[in-house]
Amino acid sequence: MNEITRIRPSRRAVLAGAGAFVLGFHVAPKGALGQATAPAATPEINAWVVIHPDDRVVLRMARTEMGQGTRTGLCQMIAEELHCDWSKIETQYVTPGQSLARNRAWGNFLTAGSQGIRQSQDYVRRGGAAARIMLVQAAAAQWGVAVGECAAKDSVITHSPTGRTLRYGQVAAAASRLTPPDPVPLKDPREWTVIGQSRPRLDTAAKTTGAQIYGSDLKMPGMLVAVPKRCPVFGGRVRSFDAARVSGMPGVRHVLQVGDSAVTVVADTFWQAKVALDALPVAWDLGENARVQQSTIDAMLDEGLTAAEAFVGNSNGDARAAIAAAPRKVEATYSYPFQNHAPMEPMNATVVWTAQRCDVWCPTQNGEAALVATAQAAGLPQTQCDVHRVDLGGGFGRRTTHDWLIDAVLTAKQIPGVPIKTMWTREEDMTHGRYHPVTKAKMTAGVDSNGAITGLHMRISGQSILSYVFPTALQQGRDPVQFQGLNASGAESAIGYTFPNLLVDHAMRNTHVPPHFWRGVNHNQNAIYLECFLDEVAHATNQDPLALRRRLMGNHPKHLATLNAVAERIGWGSAPPAGRFRGIAQQMGFGSYVAAAAEVSVSDAGVLRIHRIVAATDSGVAVNPRQIEMQVEGSFVYGLSALLYGECTVKDGAIEQTNFDTYNVLRMDEMPQVETIVMPSGGFWGGVGEPTIMVAAPAVLNAIFAATGKRIRSVPLKNQDLRRA
Amino acid sequence: MAKLNVNGRVVEVAVDPDTPLLWAIRDHVGLTGTKYGCGVAACGACTVHVDGQPIRSCAMPVSAFSETQRIVTIEGLSPDGSHPIQVAWRALDVPQCGFCQSGMIMAAAALLAEKPRPTDDDIDQAMTNICRCGTYNRVRAGIHAAVRGGTTG
């Protein structure tokens, strides 16, 4: 019996639970747990596909579902090749421990960078195809007929000459004993009948009844709840705390230090722990970062805008010389703030630690990285730890890093054998996030007498994500991720314009505030900088912003196609409805081409109304067009929340915003109508979870300029007066 | 000790009277469909009905309630997920991560009970819940679909 089938009953107990359920969990050596819970034979055809005798098809997932629909998309790709009955599909998370024990049979677990589908598509489709071939082979062998006379459809194998049939469940055990085919052929995309269809999501029903279980809902026998508080200033430490003051409060079991920088109260319930935590006197050693103010950071970024040294991201010709020689120069400086991911579910993890073993249950975007973090914090080898995933209550990049998990393990380690659920308050989540990096950009263009851009210099100054989270990926100090959407070429994020002379460079200026990948990542600001500045050049030279772009896009037909699509749909070139004004933007990112056209009005009092947005996406292949529409709509909520409100500021080294009352987000009444154009051009696999975010803000900012004559170069808009100039 | 009438059942919960209703529901009644999102009544993930009115349970202590007040949570909205809002939500695939959706559904169901044919302005006024995945447009479409019984046809 393999690892998967052993762990399965407890997983099912979690997913089946509703209301006051208890997780079927035992603190016991691995073997004992396996024997206690081993189900009847559940033939594994291969790593991806398990078929039960009753025809239930269990498809295994290494990537994580966090709302983006990857569960349904992955199933569509396997089912396309497996020819299984869609109504019989269930899914199951494999654990990183299981994958480790099988030489990483499930590949990469990372669910970020809009890559859940596109980076898995080849091997999961082959997993489905291999399983189908083996099932058909097993049926043919049972009948004693040639494989070529048999075909599979909807989990039924038919012997064409005689009309005999066998169900997948009837031959699964025999199929599991066959040698896997090699090579595994895949269908021609023209034959697809499942990929490309708007199949309903597999996980909707439980999310409408309260039955869906998230990490924060987990319960285990004897479980206690820990609520932590870290030093308000990043880099600060705990000096002392007076546990005796709260240890007698209702429900309180432990008052602990966690690592160097946090304290936690462990109680019977969250509320008891939180009340005691709020009453706990803690003396912090705030450290030297307590001297940092937002103005300190701003000044550092300003200095980088003109610094002599910078890392080059993209360069052709001699931009500086071309600008110097140009009859006209256009110049502008933009900035982009820190932001919190703010997923709806605050950070949490449930941990059982003993001297022999550590198991965690948590929402993570990267099971393998979570296992590494767990093992390190637990002081145990990875083979004595495992990570059991639950669906995420939002991720957006925050759950690709595991600072919260490490603290949860360090807490449980102090209370051996007792399940400890660490739950952050929203305040902790807001003030101890991993933030969208802060940057500024100085844009300079040389323009000739015909309005053609002869040279463009884009100087970015600010924080590097990789230097904080993955310094070994720096290229001689240079952060390649900084230049998303601005690269000369490539399948991931190439610039959509050709300038005769171009220089994009980055003066790295890091702060003590930890940056991280934040849905859309560096595209978010890079697209504002470039797309709004091109708009500035167009207006400064009396050109139509679309026409100016088209002049630069002759070598970039896919970029241009999405831009043209939104321009046509919104009616660019014809007059908008009275009082409304339009803006446009395009960018390539995460392997996909996207464009947006926005229609806004601004009242005399300066109140912005975003009426309508048209968005086009060319992701090469569109696995589930309805899911893409949902991701595009959602991307505008995330991107426009950032544009309207998203800003974290630093005071005395700490983040000032503590909850949704001070870190507001877009709500229903501000949400525009979104029209999504899904235009897959075929031949490549692009992501869809993030790309649209990058065009949301620049399209609206350009429309605001059209409406008001005001060029907004610093977001969010809550700080700006939009009344006409 | 407090007595609460939750989903038609009177339960005694042994909690400090200052405990927010949300945590009594989650940790003592044992119903986890109602979510903690902010604790300051800003996001609406904790929305439940009290005598038919939507309230944000994270910011109201159990001491404010008596057993005569009918509290309904997402688990009690319908016996089998057949409330028109729930039907519409499934037809339109409204949820993404789903964490805010219990609160969204409870707010939407309360709106429909008060205004059987809500306008877009009514929806804007009533639906102030936060969704970070970005389901607002499908929430709006779902409410309109629910007026027709939940189907999208």
Side-chain angles (χ1 to χ4, degrees):
Chain A
M1 192 60 59
N2 64 52
E3 267 287 322
I4 293 286
T5 46
R6 274 198 250 137
I7 205 77
R8 194 163 185 284
S10 60
R11 282 284 316 150
R12 287 186 59 75
V14 175
L15 297 174
F21 80 102
V22 173
L23 186 68
F25 171 81
H26 309 276
V27 182
K30 235 174 168 184
L33 180 62
Q35 283 159 19
T37 58
T42 53
E44 172 187 301
I45 312 300
N46 59 33
W48 301 100
V49 178
V50 172
I51 295 179
H52 290 264
D54 63 1
D55 285 348
R56 279 181 300 122
V57 179
V58 178
L59 304 184
R60 290 162 171 169
M61 291 172 64
R63 312 284 175 162
T64 302
E65 179 61 50
M66 50 187 168
Q68 83 283 36
T70 214
R71 167 179 286 120
T72 306
L74 289 168
C75 286
Q76 283 182 261
M77 294 195 295
I78 300 178
E80 179 68 65
E81 297 288 346
L82 181 58
H83 297 188
C84 62
D85 182 343
W86 183 256
S87 69
K88 301 260 168 62
I89 289 176
E90 300 172 6
T91 60
Q92 178 186 54
Y93 284 127
V94 289
T95 72
Q98 291 160 354
S99 195
L100 186 67
R102 292 175 61 172
N103 194 26
R104 293 190 80 212
W106 288 278
N108 192 350
F109 281 55
L110 176 64
T111 313
S114 300
Q115 59 174 260
I117 298 288
R118 61 195 175 111
Q119 302 293 352
S120 316
Q121 53 85 15
D122 185 78
Y123 54 77
V124 303
R125 284 192 292 146
R126 288 186 202 281
R132 184 199 71 243
I133 290 166
M134 293 160 76
L135 289 158
V136 171
Q137 210 179 329
Q142 186 170 327
W143 287 321
V145 302
V147 166
E149 294 178 351
C150 304
K153 188 184 177 192
D154 293 337
S155 294
V156 176
I157 304 149
T158 302
H159 179 233
S160 305
T162 62
R164 284 179 290 181
T165 60
L166 282 168
R167 292 179 293 100
Y168 275 8
Q170 293 173 293
V171 296
S176 70
R177 293 190 288 270
L178 297 174
T179 305
D182 182 29
V184 180
L186 292 176
K187 280 183 193 171
D188 186 301
R190 285 170 296 194
E191 296 169 19
W192 285 343
T193 59
V194 184
I195 295 173
Q197 302 299 307
S198 291
R199 293 279 165 114
R201 289 177 67 124
L202 294 166
D203 51 3
T204 294
K207 294 175 179 175
T208 65
T209 61
Q212 176 76 35
I213 297 298
Y214 300 87
S216 46
D217 300 329
L218 292 173
K219 292 177 185 172
M220 295 184 189
M223 185 180 83
L224 300 175
V225 178
V227 180
K229 181 187 283 181
R230 286 181 181 169
C231 180
V233 178
F234 303 103
R237 303 157 75 94
V238 178
R239 182 175 289 150
S240 64
F241 57 101
D242 188 358
R245 288 275 290 276
V246 303
S247 55
M249 292 178 71
V252 173
R253 305 294 190 94
H254 308 271
V255 183
L256 305 171
Q257 183 168 340
V258 182
D260 291 333
S261 65
V263 296
T264 195
V265 175
V266 184
D268 292 337
T269 68
F270 171 90
W271 186 251
Q272 290 168 333
K274 184 188 180 302
V275 169
L277 182 70
D278 289 345
L280 178 67
V282 184
W284 305 103
D285 173 8
L286 298 174
E288 61 186 44
N289 289 334
R291 291 199 295 269
V292 178
Q293 310 297 339
Q294 190 62 41
S295 58
T296 324
I297 294 170
D298 288 342
M300 180 176 68
L301 300 190
D302 285 341
E303 180 276 324
L305 291 175
T306 52
E309 298 281 320
F311 298 109
V312 174
N314 189 359
S315 173
N316 60 263
D318 186 340
R320 283 196 173 95
I323 292 164
R328 178 153 187 205
K329 192 161 86 165
V330 181
E331 200 171 48
T333 299
Y334 286 77
S335 66
Y336 197 83
F338 294 119
Q339 293 176 73
N340 191 297
H341 298 84
M344 287 311 296
E345 181 188 27
M347 299 301 108
N348 67 86
T350 301
V351 183
V352 182
W353 184 93
T354 67
Q356 294 79 38
R357 185 160 179 84
C358 184
D359 281 279
V360 310
W361 287 257
C362 69
T364 170
Q365 290 177 246
N366 189 349
E368 289 182 310
L371 179 59
V372 171
T374 296
Q376 283 176 356
L380 291 166
Q382 287 185 46
T383 50
Q384 287 169 240
C385 302
D386 213 346
V387 175
H388 312 277
R389 286 175 292 161
V390 284
D391 284 1
L392 278 57
F396 315 120
R398 180 66 181 93
R399 288 181 160 111
T400 60
T401 187
H402 296 98
D403 51 291
W404 44 274
L405 175 57
I406 290 166
D407 280 4
V409 173
L410 293 175
T411 302
K413 198 175 173 182
Q414 299 180 63
I415 315 168
V418 178
I420 305 295
K421 177 164 69 174
T422 289
M423 296 178 72
W424 284 24
T425 61
R426 175 59 65 189
E427 288 77 10
E428 193 69 9
D429 211 290
M430 282 286 177
T431 55
H432 289 282
R434 294 290 181 267
Y435 297 84
H436 193 298
V438 64
T439 61
K440 297 190 177 200
K442 185 176 182 201
M443 309 292 296
T444 315
V447 185
D448 71 14
S449 53
N450 296 319
I453 296 174
T454 56
L456 178 72
H457 181 195
M458 177 171 182
R459 162 60 65 85
I460 302 164
S461 171
Q463 235 177 339
S464 148
I465 298 171
L466 286 191
S467 67
Y468 184 82
V469 303
F470 200 12
T472 55
L474 294 174
Q475 299 167 343
Q476 288 158 342
R478 172 183 173 276
D479 180 348
V481 179
Q482 205 81 41
F483 305 102
Q484 285 181 310
L486 306 171
N487 293 300
S489 59
E492 186 70 16
S493 67
I495 195 168
Y497 307 106
T498 300
F499 299 99
N501 297 280
L502 174 69
L503 176 61
V504 180
D505 57 6
H506 172 223
M508 191 184 292
R509 294 292 182 273
N510 291 325
T511 80
H512 77 296
V513 176
H516 202 65
F517 302 98
W518 191 100
R519 191 178 185 187
V521 197
N522 288 311
H523 282 290
N524 295 322
Q525 73 273 15
N526 288 347
I528 290 178
Y529 299 159
L530 183 57
E531 289 299 303
C532 292
F533 184 66
L534 287 180
D535 213 72
E536 293 205 49
V537 174
H539 286 284
T541 56
N542 293 316
Q543 297 183 75
D544 175 81
L546 176 62
L548 176 134
R549 284 177 173 79
R550 284 175 170 161
R551 289 173 73 171
L552 300 166
M553 296 179 79
N555 299 330
H556 310 276
K558 287 195 166 76
H559 293 81
L560 181 59
T562 55
L563 187 67
N564 283 339
V566 298
E568 184 183 340
R569 175 71 70 84
I570 206 154
W572 195 271
S574 67
R580 295 194 190 182
F581 298 86
R582 291 176 182 148
I584 201 163
Q586 69 81 27
Q587 178 105 328
M588 179 208 184
F590 309 98
S592 290
Y593 302 84
V594 299
E599 212 168 77
V600 313
S601 61
V602 180
S603 74
D604 290 342
V607 177
L608 169 71
R609 178 87 210 170
I610 308 166
H611 297 274
R612 177 187 179 205
I613 289 186
V614 175
T617 301
D618 177 2
S619 55
V621 175
V623 174
N624 186 319
R626 185 195 226 185
Q627 285 303 312
I628 296 174
E629 288 173 16
M630 291 167 71
Q631 287 306 299
V632 169
E633 291 163 14
S635 291
F636 283 110
V637 176
Y638 213 72
L640 296 178
S641 287
L643 173 65
L644 297 183
Y645 300 111
E647 180 184 42
C648 296
T649 50
V650 174
K651 183 180 182 190
D652 299 332
I655 295 294
E656 292 189 275
Q657 291 70 23
T658 58
N659 207 316
F660 287 118
D661 50 359
T662 45
Y663 187 81
N664 200 7
V665 297
L666 177 139
R667 320 233 177 174
M668 178 78 83
D669 62 339
E670 295 169 311
M671 183 65 193
Q673 173 190 337
V674 175
E675 298 162 46
T676 302
I677 303 169
V678 180
M679 45 185 290
S681 59
F684 64 99
W685 294 74
V688 298
E690 295 170 272
T692 301
I693 296 173
M694 58 207 186
V695 291
V700 170
L701 285 168
N702 290 340
I704 289 171
F705 179 82
T708 65
K710 273 193 170 174
R711 182 61 64 179
I712 305 298
R713 301 189 184 93
S714 173
V715 293
L717 294 176
K718 74 181 173 75
N719 300 333
Q720 301 290 342
D721 178 357
L722 296 186
R723 283 174 296 184
R724 280 176 201 84
Chain B
M1 190 69 73
K3 277 190 178 177
L4 299 173
N5 180 336
V6 180
N7 298 336
R9 193 165 58 98
V10 176
V11 289
E12 289 194 7
V13 290
V15 296
D16 185 279
D18 292 337
T19 304
L21 177 62
L22 167 67
W23 296 104
I25 289 169
R26 285 180 57 84
D27 290 340
H28 299 272
V29 183
L31 299 170
T32 56
T34 309
K35 302 304 186 197
Y36 165 74
C38 69
V40 296
C43 81
C46 65
T47 303
V48 299
H49 297 172
V50 176
D51 291 334
Q53 296 298 310
I55 65 123
R56 295 190 171 175
S57 64
C58 72
M60 297 187 73
V62 290
S63 59
F65 299 91
S66 73
E67 63 179 285
T68 61
Q69 289 171 292
R70 292 171 295 108
I71 297 164
V72 175
T73 72
I74 183 71
E75 292 89 348
L77 183 62
S78 67
D80 52 1
S82 61
H83 187 284
I85 289 286
Q86 292 169 309
V87 173
W89 253 234
R90 290 194 294 274
L92 289 169
D93 264 349
V94 172
Q96 292 189 27
C97 90
F99 197 82
C100 73
Q101 293 296 328
S102 294
M104 282 282 186
I105 289 169
M106 295 308 282
L111 170 62
L112 273 197
E114 191 197 339
K115 295 182 175 171
R117 303 189 69 82
T119 64
D120 280 337
D121 282 345
D122 294 332
I123 293 171
D124 285 344
Q125 294 296 317
M127 301 299 293
T128 58
N129 302 43
I130 292 175
C131 171
R132 291 290 282 157
C133 297
T135 61
Y136 298 127
N137 284 358
R138 273 165 208 270
V139 166
R140 184 187 303 281
I143 293 170
H144 289 310
V147 170
R148 303 185 298 270
T151 55
T152 53

